[in-house]
Amino acid sequence: MRNLKRAAEAGDVNAQFNLGVMYDNRLDSNDRPVPGNRVEALHWLSQAAKQGLPRAQMRLAEFYAEEPDGPEQQVEACAWFIRALANTSGAHREQAQKGFTKLTATLTPVQIEDAGRMARLFEPQERHIFDEPKRRRAK
């Protein structure tokens, strides 16, 4: 688990996701019990989701939708479902659509609008290094 945490701290999106899932599930990759920690799970899932990892966006949406502390978390869950919808396909997209539909049935139109704005803010801003030459040539 130490190596996974080091990789997550260094910005490895897959390590961040896996660490978040492990803290949430209370099991490591070998199905051994680890201390559960919802705060840590939320932190690492958020880090991976903000980097654009679709499965992290979906898991984070479900995380917020499962146990909302209030309307703000429901709006945030909706925003992450929107991001997941934009980044997934097939069964994962259907799952995101179901979550979105179920959640929006409980939200007001203003809250849904707020979620849409929030989802646009969650769009990753960083570009990969290998994209740089393409952008330079286009100028």
Side-chain angles (χ1 to χ4, degrees), residues 24-109:
D24 192 31
N25 289 343
R26 297 178 181 89
L27 296 173
D28 69 10
S29 57
N30 296 314
D31 291 330
R32 286 181 277 184
V34 295
N37 187 327
R38 298 284 283 181
V39 172
E40 283 291 309
L42 179 62
H43 170 75
W44 292 114
L45 289 172
S46 293
Q47 294 299 310
K50 288 175 183 173
Q51 287 193 65
L53 188 67
R55 60 189 172 145
Q57 293 169 343
M58 185 67 194
R59 187 74 179 241
L60 192 57
E62 293 169 340
F63 190 97
Y64 281 124
E66 284 172 6
E67 298 176 25
D69 288 336
E72 297 84 20
Q73 277 197 331
Q74 289 179 314
V75 170
E76 191 156 355
C78 188
W80 284 114
F81 276 126
I82 291 168
R83 291 299 322 141
L85 279 164
N87 295 314
T88 57
S89 61
H92 297 288
R93 184 170 170 72
E94 287 178 27
Q95 183 182 356
Q97 184 64 55
K98 284 179 187 175
F100 175 79
T101 301
K102 181 179 177 183
L103 189 58
T104 55
T106 67
L107 298 176
T108 68

